[in-house]
Amino acid sequence: MLSSVMVGVHDWFSWVVVSTNAIVGLWALIAHRRQSWRGQPLWVFTVIAQVSMLAQVALGSWLVAQEGHAAPDLHALYGFSGLVTVGIVYSYRQQIPKHKHLLYGYAGLFLMGLGIRAMILD
């Protein structure tokens, strides 16, 4: 019973990951051009979107490890690629301060794409 509920949560939460990363990705790209779109709310929502990727991967890993579910081919690759992406983007943020909005904008859209690709495999 718990397993089927958690699979449903994992499926539903994939839309949260995709939509939040799409929104903050576009927001950051606009903020690169328009000063008025910059500020703390962008970074708060970016953290929320990227942490949602971490939560989704953790839930999927739990389903595979504890509940014995089999992930579709390459499904786990897309999830773990998202985690690596978040780590790489975070590590580069200090090196390109003038372009950090571009960095996070494209990263958000890339994470959105990874999420969509993982959903297609189901």
Side-chain angles (χ1 to χ4, degrees):
M1 176 66 179
L2 177 64
S3 177
S4 63
V5 170
M6 295 308 279
V7 168
V9 169
H10 185 67
D11 289 345
W12 172 82
F13 200 68
S14 62
W15 287 104
V16 172
V17 172
V18 167
S19 60
T20 58
N21 279 288
I23 291 166
V24 299
L26 291 172
W27 185 355
L29 289 176
I30 294 169
H32 176 70
R33 298 291 240 171
R34 299 186 184 266
Q35 185 82 21
S36 62
W37 286 64
R38 297 177 186 179
Q40 186 176 5
L42 170 61
W43 302 120
V44 169
F45 284 107
T46 298
V47 168
I48 290 168
Q50 292 183 356
V51 168
S52 74
M53 176 64 83
L54 170 67
Q56 182 72 340
V57 171
L59 179 56
S61 298
W62 181 81
L63 286 169
V64 169
Q66 298 298 319
E67 299 296 322
H69 288 277
D73 292 340
L74 299 178
H75 186 84
L77 173 66
Y78 292 117
F80 286 108
S81 295
L83 293 183
V84 170
T85 300
V86 170
I88 290 170
V89 168
Y90 184 76
S91 69
Y92 273 99
R93 78 191 189 291
Q94 298 293 342
Q95 295 179 2
I96 53 172
K98 290 182 181 180
H99 301 291
K100 69 181 174 186
H101 292 95
L102 284 177
L103 174 68
Y104 277 94
Y106 289 129
L109 296 180
F110 183 72
L111 292 170
M112 175 202 67
L114 287 174
I116 290 171
R117 187 66 181 121
M119 291 165 58
I120 290 172
L121 292 173
D122 284 342

